[in-house]
Amino acid sequence: MKKLLFSVLFLGMLNYLNAQQQKITTVQYAGSMGYLSLGVGITNKSGKVQHELLYGFVPKYYGGPLDKITYRLTYLPFEIKQKGKLSWRPINPIVFAAYNIGNQFSLEHSHKNYDQDYYWWSPALRFHVGANTAVFISGKKQTTMLYLEANTNDRYITTYWDNTGNMGLGDLFYMGLGVKFLFNE
Amino acid sequence: MAARKYIYVVLLFFLTSCQQFEFDPNQSVNAFSADRLNYVNIERIINEPSREEMVLAITGDSHLDYDNLTKFVHHVNADPTIDFVIHTGDLTDHGLLKEYEWAVSRLQKLNKPLVVTLGNHDVLSLGEDTYKHMLGGSNFAFVKDSVKFVVFNSNGREYGFKGKIPDLGWLDKELLLGSDYKNVIMVSHVPYWDRDFDLGLKPDYLKLLRDVNSRTPILAHINGHLHMQTVDVRPDNGLLQILPGSTGSRTYVKLIIGKNGVRYEKITF
């Protein structure tokens, strides 16, 4: 199951490698994929779709130690031109799948200890949705993207759904911020 | 200048909502989580002046039902006879930090002290670390009005039935210690007859109950986990067994400890 998941993600990435695109390097703070995460990625031909693979970690002091691998898809539907080299893409939907690596987390709860469906959810794999807002600064060889991102995940959504009226949007969405460097080939 | 306004809004949001920066849903702590609330509340319980009768509200298995948890808090707050509240565990569903925070923030609206037991769901992921940080150790005891409350981890299945949970050595020591109590109340999440209890330890646990009961009578044996409200005398050891029912079933049990023994009331809210 693990292998299959990563193969699908990897093939998805390869698919874009032949098309004309930009390469991405990402550094992100928080955003539910680590205290700090580092990533690489590519855009599609039009630059409106970004694929990234990120590694994030949480030190013990901040509630870890945790290691996480994340695949993130970002869609950038439209931009508002500002002065000169600046442009603003106000709302860009994201989805990402995040997987905790390490022995304390597994894709499924151990069947040695539990019957099927005793705990039915995956402790290691979370599916997230959200959006970011981003400012683009274009340069000669690269474009810099600064973004603030909000996300929620499968577990929080179901909890929120069961408790609408008792929980607020602040209980649902969590933030991260980061910078991406987009290199023109 | 839409952009400038926008940047101000973003900055303001950033400055006022550091709590919104999440590193990982599985992170065990953050800078804002509560700090060892059980210990703080035990201090409060011990320092409260004694009354003619000691009254406990016993609830548990609140999981992710925050509507009914809030209703429970309101119901208990409106009852001035209650001295403190015992939660028999399963404060969360997945042992996640956010779930701890959501439950604890609602329970902190109680106008009396609260003691929370570690449930099987609460240890999932890094939940045990979160519990240790936000509530305290998973085995603890305190004495109020000559009654020793012994609260312990009985979630055998989560530790692979390796004969370590419940920690009988700790229970043995704790129940031999001190002469400042005449009676005992035992509180844990999984009851000893359930298949999630480490059944290899059951004979020793029952022997321990018999030994303790002959020295310092056990007034009540309290568990959660089964989501049903029953109060009865166990046929195998003659102890008063209390299961408060889940918060979701909108029931709890009031235990009244007087000079001449205990009584109880089954409450529906």
Side-chain angles (χ1 to χ4, degrees):
Chain A
M1 182 65 190
K2 263 187 237 182
K3 277 180 188 163
L4 181 74
L5 182 82
F6 284 115
S7 316
V8 168
L9 296 182
F10 188 65
L11 284 176
M13 298 282 278
L14 279 184
N15 217 3
Y16 279 84
L17 278 177
N18 294 325
Q20 190 194 345
Q21 12 68 16
Q22 293 170 299
K23 303 269 188 292
I24 308 171
T25 306
T26 310
V27 182
Q28 182 175 316
Y29 167 75
S32 312
M33 50 178 79
Y35 172 74
L36 202 70
S37 32
L38 307 166
V40 289
I42 43 173
T43 68
N44 74 340
K45 209 169 176 180
S46 68
K48 283 190 171 182
V49 178
Q50 299 177 341
H51 300 268
E52 290 160 279
L53 205 52
L54 301 109
Y55 161 75
F57 64 94
V58 183
K60 188 166 170 34
Y61 180 80
Y62 293 106
L66 292 167
D67 294 282
K68 193 157 226 181
I69 297 287
T70 302
Y71 162 75
R72 175 170 57 191
L73 178 68
T74 308
Y75 178 58
L76 306 123
F78 64 94
E79 70 174 336
I80 298 169
K81 265 277 174 212
Q82 304 296 328
K83 275 183 194 163
K85 292 171 178 175
L86 282 183
S87 73
W88 174 36
R89 287 183 181 268
I91 181 135
N92 312 304
I94 55 161
V95 289
F96 60 96
Y99 186 83
N100 282 103
I101 355 173
N103 291 334
Q104 74 233 83
F105 297 102
S106 54
L107 201 57
E108 290 179 307
H109 286 275
S110 148
H111 292 311
K112 204 177 84 195
N113 281 357
Y114 307 105
D115 294 343
Q116 195 96 32
D117 297 335
Y118 189 94
Y119 299 125
W120 53 270
W121 61 90
S122 168
L125 183 64
R126 292 272 73 80
F127 295 100
H128 300 250
V129 292
N132 69 41
T133 184
V135 174
F136 283 71
I137 308 155
S138 50
K140 257 183 195 168
K141 283 186 179 168
Q142 76 193 51
T143 303
T144 307
M145 170 186 171
L146 303 165
Y147 63 97
L148 182 69
E149 194 164 277
N151 85 86
T152 183
N153 66 60
D154 53 341
R155 301 287 81 232
Y156 295 176
I157 291 168
T158 51
T159 308
Y160 182 83
W161 186 258
D162 291 339
N163 291 283
T164 45
N166 204 298
M167 293 174 81
L169 285 178
D171 293 321
L172 190 59
F173 285 102
Y174 295 92
M175 313 297 296
L177 54 90
V179 56
K180 296 184 201 182
F181 301 103
L182 309 163
F183 296 99
N184 309 316
E185 280 297 304
Chain B
M1 287 297 287
R4 192 170 291 173
K5 254 185 213 161
Y6 167 76
I7 287 164
Y8 288 149
V9 168
V10 168
L11 274 178
L12 194 71
F13 187 76
F14 174 69
L15 291 171
T16 54
S17 64
C18 287
Q19 212 164 342
Q20 293 305 116
F21 283 88
E22 180 183 70
F23 302 139
D24 192 318
N26 277 325
Q27 74 186 88
S28 60
V29 297
N30 69 30
F32 308 93
S33 1
D35 196 2
R36 292 171 185 83
L37 281 179
N38 277 347
Y39 300 165
V40 175
N41 280 323
I42 288 167
E43 282 290 317
R44 282 174 65 197
I45 293 168
I46 291 170
N47 293 331
E48 284 284 316
S50 299
R51 298 205 271 188
E52 191 78 355
E53 294 180 318
M54 175 164 40
V55 183
L56 281 59
I58 304 160
T59 182
D61 292 283
S62 49
H63 293 274
L64 304 178
D65 191 343
Y66 302 125
D67 284 334
N68 284 322
L69 189 62
T70 305
K71 282 177 188 141
F72 167 77
V73 167
H74 290 156
H75 200 266
V76 168
N77 281 352
D79 185 342
T81 65
I82 294 170
D83 292 300
F84 67 95
V85 179
I86 290 179
H87 190 297
T88 58
D90 279 0
L91 192 65
T92 70
D93 239 15
H94 314 92
L96 299 178
L97 173 65
K98 284 296 161 215
E99 297 176 342
Y100 271 98
E101 289 182 342
W102 292 331
V104 164
S105 65
R106 283 158 182 84
L107 286 166
Q108 279 182 309
K109 300 217 165 74
L110 280 168
N111 59 12
K112 16 230 154 207
L114 160 83
V115 168
V116 182
T117 315
L118 182 72
N120 59 311
H121 282 262
D122 304 329
V123 305
L124 299 176
S125 291
L126 298 184
E128 196 175 353
D129 292 344
T130 310
Y131 180 92
K132 269 184 190 148
H133 185 85
M134 288 182 72
L135 294 148
S138 54
N139 297 326
F140 58 96
F142 58 96
V143 178
K144 174 71 177 173
D145 297 347
S146 304
V147 180
K148 184 157 193 167
F149 293 84
V150 179
V151 185
F152 61 99
N153 179 0
S154 67
N155 309 301
R157 184 177 293 278
E158 274 54 44
Y159 300 85
F161 297 134
K162 288 183 179 143
K164 295 204 168 133
I165 302 292
D167 186 344
L168 293 181
W170 180 85
L171 281 172
D172 226 18
K173 257 188 230 155
E174 199 56 53
L175 288 160
L176 286 171
L177 279 176
S179 52
D180 52 343
Y181 61 98
K182 297 191 184 84
N183 292 106
V184 170
I185 288 183
M186 308 280 287
V187 185
S188 70
H189 182 66
V190 175
Y192 60 82
W193 64 88
D194 190 82
R195 55 191 282 276
D196 295 329
F197 191 87
D198 192 339
L199 293 176
L201 293 177
K202 189 180 164 183
D204 287 346
Y205 180 72
L206 285 175
K207 183 177 179 300
L208 181 122
L209 289 183
R210 276 198 303 277
D211 291 350
V212 171
N213 198 32
S214 65
R215 273 200 313 270
T216 44
I218 297 174
L219 294 179
H221 188 274
I222 301 169
N223 298 106
H225 195 56
L226 300 180
H227 290 231
M228 58 180 184
Q229 190 193 41
T230 56
V231 184
D232 55 8
V233 175
R234 286 289 300 174
D236 50 358
N237 57 19
L239 297 180
L240 180 69
Q241 174 67 46
I242 298 177
L243 298 168
S246 67
T247 318
S249 63
R250 302 183 68 171
T251 60
Y252 67 93
V253 171
K254 252 168 91 171
L255 185 68
I256 302 121
I257 304 160
K259 294 259 169 346
N260 309 313
V262 294
R263 351 187 271 285
Y264 62 85
E265 283 173 36
K266 290 181 178 179
I267 311 280
T268 305
F269 62 91

